[in-house]
Amino acid sequence: MHDLQRTICNKYKSKFHGIDMSLKVGIALETLHIEPIHAVRTEACDGTTGWFIWCGEFSEDADFFKPLCANHLDKYCPHIIKYLALEPGFRVLIDRNDYEDVWFDEEVNA
C-alpha cells in the first residue's frame, strides 16, 4: 500500500506523510453510503491521524464524526486508503467510479 500512497503523493506534489494505522481518523459512518467521498487532513493531535472523512454533505453537528482506528478503513472506506500519506492541508474528493480531485487547501490549518 505504501507504494500506491507514494504514487499519489508524487502525483499531487505532496511529501510522503504516512500515518500510524493504529491511530484514529474522524469518520461520518452514517454517511458512507452516499457519494461523493470527502476527506481532509489537518494536523494530527491527541492520538489521531488528522484525517476527517465523510460522504455527501458536511455537517457541523458535534456527533457527525466518530473516531475509528485507521486499521478499519479497509472495511468502512477502502477507497480513501491510498490517499492517507498526503500532507496535512490536502483535501480529497473521490467517488467509487474512479473520479478523483485532490488539492492542497491553505485554509485547512490556518
Side-chain angles (χ1 to χ4, degrees):
M1 183 53 61
H2 286 305
D3 289 342
L4 186 51
Q5 290 175 342
R6 285 186 196 285
T7 300
I8 291 292
C9 288
N10 290 337
K11 180 177 181 180
Y12 294 105
K13 297 176 178 49
S14 170
K15 293 179 184 169
F16 183 86
H17 201 283
I19 65 166
D20 178 342
M21 294 295 284
S22 69
L23 297 179
K24 294 184 176 25
V25 299
I27 190 166
L29 293 170
E30 294 82 14
T31 69
L32 295 182
H33 64 284
I34 304 170
E35 296 274 1
I37 302 167
H38 298 265
V40 62
R41 188 169 190 186
T42 63
E43 293 292 339
C45 66
D46 299 328
T48 71
T49 62
W51 278 105
F52 291 89
I53 303 159
W54 71 98
C55 297
E57 296 296 320
F58 179 80
S59 173
E60 295 282 342
D61 291 346
D63 62 348
F64 185 61
F65 292 108
K66 307 288 191 277
L68 179 75
C69 180
N71 282 323
H72 299 296
L73 284 173
D74 60 341
K75 176 181 177 186
Y76 290 97
C77 194
H79 296 85
I80 205 67
I81 294 173
K82 67 183 181 180
Y83 301 96
L84 295 179
L86 291 167
E87 295 174 88
F90 271 87
R91 291 186 176 272
V92 176
L93 177 65
I94 58 173
D95 69 15
R96 293 164 184 90
N97 297 311
D98 298 324
Y99 175 81
E100 177 181 81
D101 190 8
V102 177
W103 70 100
F104 184 80
D105 183 350
E106 293 182 16
E107 300 293 318
V108 169
N109 292 310

